[in-house]
Amino acid sequence: LIEMALIKKFRIKSYKQSGSIIEFRNISLAYGKRLILDNISFKIQSGTIFGMLGPNGVGKSTIFNLLTGLISPKNGKIFISGKDVTDYPVYLRTVKFSTGFVPQYGGAFSDLTTFDNLKAISEIVIKQKNQRLEKINFLISKFELDNVKDIKFRFLSGGQKKRVAIALALLGNPKILLLDEPYSGLDILSIKMLQEIIVNLQLEENITVLVTDHQATNVLKITDTAMILNNGKIVAQDTPSNLIKDKAAISSYFGDNFKIS
């Protein structure tokens, strides 16, 4: 496995409380009688990479859906950049609060080429026509997609598909990027490349990144801070080095022999 230092050379260790870009306040949500999130509260500081960990079905993707506005909480409030967005529709959250979302699967039109996917979305999110092609070419170059720009999305490899999906999410210059299990189905080299892309987005663009994955190692290698969810509650939230020593985190998720590298 790659050493953590090669991926994340620094971690943001101190935050100003006023610097939170996302806040969940007393959020509860149930599907039928099954309680998914039980009165959880947390903050994510601007410009950080924040990881979410926990067993499958614990509510990680639900938190993404709450953030984007695809679903609404039973109780509680959601704040983005200090504004209560609990009742904001999906479109307003995306445009007004510059949020990009990369789903676990897909994220592009399967029958369109890489270039045509970018062109289609650019016509929605970039108002100035003369800026569209410039942005498309920049992202094709940035994500090394030149050799597949005329290939249909469905014919791309897993790593190429993920890079296209992230490029599409970046067309609108988001301040917040949500990555739902981005490493799913990728080989080790593709995972390493994607980890470097995510860290570079933070360094170069100061984007706040939320990332979740069922493989804890892949998340902890790139995050400034992470939280563990279990049974509808937040078990622990801290820096990766502190989190793996947290007794509650060890007993509920990591187990006794977990190591990052």
Side-chain angles (χ1 to χ4, degrees):
L1 286 171
I2 30 190
E3 290 299 318
M4 191 197 304
L6 292 176
I7 296 297
K8 188 81 172 153
K9 293 184 173 64
F10 74 96
R11 281 193 160 75
I12 298 171
K13 300 209 172 167
S14 60
Y15 311 106
K16 294 178 181 173
Q17 282 303 102
S18 60
S20 61
I21 194 168
I22 290 167
E23 181 183 357
F24 273 41
R25 194 180 294 173
N26 305 117
I27 292 289
S28 295
L29 185 133
Y31 294 134
K33 293 183 178 178
R34 186 177 168 225
L35 190 63
I36 304 296
L37 300 173
D38 183 11
N39 195 37
I40 68 165
S41 298
F42 65 91
K43 292 181 180 181
I44 299 173
Q45 306 302 325
S46 180
T48 60
I49 301 177
F50 183 89
M52 291 193 296
L53 295 166
N56 285 336
V58 81
K60 302 185 295 293
S61 294
T62 299
I63 287 175
F64 279 0
N65 290 335
L66 284 165
L67 265 174
T68 55
L70 287 170
I71 56 176
S72 298
K74 178 183 175 185
N75 298 106
K77 299 283 186 185
I78 299 167
F79 296 85
I80 301 177
S81 297
K83 302 273 188 187
D84 182 353
V85 300
T86 314
D87 298 320
Y88 277 46
V90 174
Y91 174 76
L92 258 185
R93 292 196 204 193
T94 304
V95 174
K96 191 166 183 178
F97 297 98
S98 302
T99 303
F101 178 43
V102 179
Q104 183 177 354
Y105 300 110
F109 299 106
S110 62
D111 257 357
L112 291 185
T113 66
T114 296
F115 182 86
D116 287 342
N117 262 295
L118 288 162
K119 185 172 180 285
I121 301 303
S122 74
E123 289 170 0
I124 299 168
V125 299
I126 301 175
K127 291 179 182 177
Q128 291 77 18
K129 287 184 182 179
N130 61 329
Q131 292 180 9
R132 290 172 188 164
L133 187 57
E134 183 183 339
K135 184 74 172 181
I136 289 167
N137 287 334
F138 169 76
L139 289 168
I140 284 174
S141 175
K142 183 181 181 71
F143 291 109
E144 299 178 11
L145 296 166
D146 302 79
N147 61 333
V148 296
K149 70 177 184 179
D150 298 319
I151 307 293
K152 288 185 178 181
F153 184 77
R154 62 192 169 102
F155 295 127
L156 302 181
S157 70
Q160 289 166 342
K161 284 180 176 177
K162 197 61 68 176
R163 281 167 16 227
V164 170
I166 293 173
L168 288 169
L170 293 178
L171 274 169
N173 295 321
K175 293 178 183 173
I176 301 166
L177 185 63
L178 312 178
L179 300 172
D180 190 6
E181 303 226 1
Y183 310 119
S184 182
L186 299 187
D187 59 66
I188 291 172
L189 284 176
S190 295
I191 287 171
K192 183 181 178 185
M193 178 183 278
L194 189 52
Q195 287 173 323
E196 289 171 347
I197 284 170
I198 294 166
V199 171
N200 285 336
L201 287 174
Q202 179 192 38
L203 291 172
E204 296 166 10
E205 314 288 342
N206 197 34
I207 294 175
T208 304
V209 181
L210 276 72
V211 59
T212 181
D213 199 79
H214 62 279
Q215 290 287 348
T217 304
N218 292 336
V219 171
L220 295 177
K221 280 187 174 177
I222 62 169
T223 50
D224 298 296
T225 196
M227 74 176 181
I228 295 169
L229 294 155
N230 203 6
N231 294 323
K233 295 281 192 183
I234 297 170
V235 174
Q237 180 178 334
D238 212 326
T239 62
S241 56
N242 288 339
L243 203 59
I244 62 173
K245 295 181 281 191
D246 185 282
K247 288 181 181 178
I250 291 168
S251 64
S252 68
Y253 184 65
F254 290 125
D256 293 325
N257 301 314
F258 178 82
K259 289 183 173 63
I260 292 178
S261 58

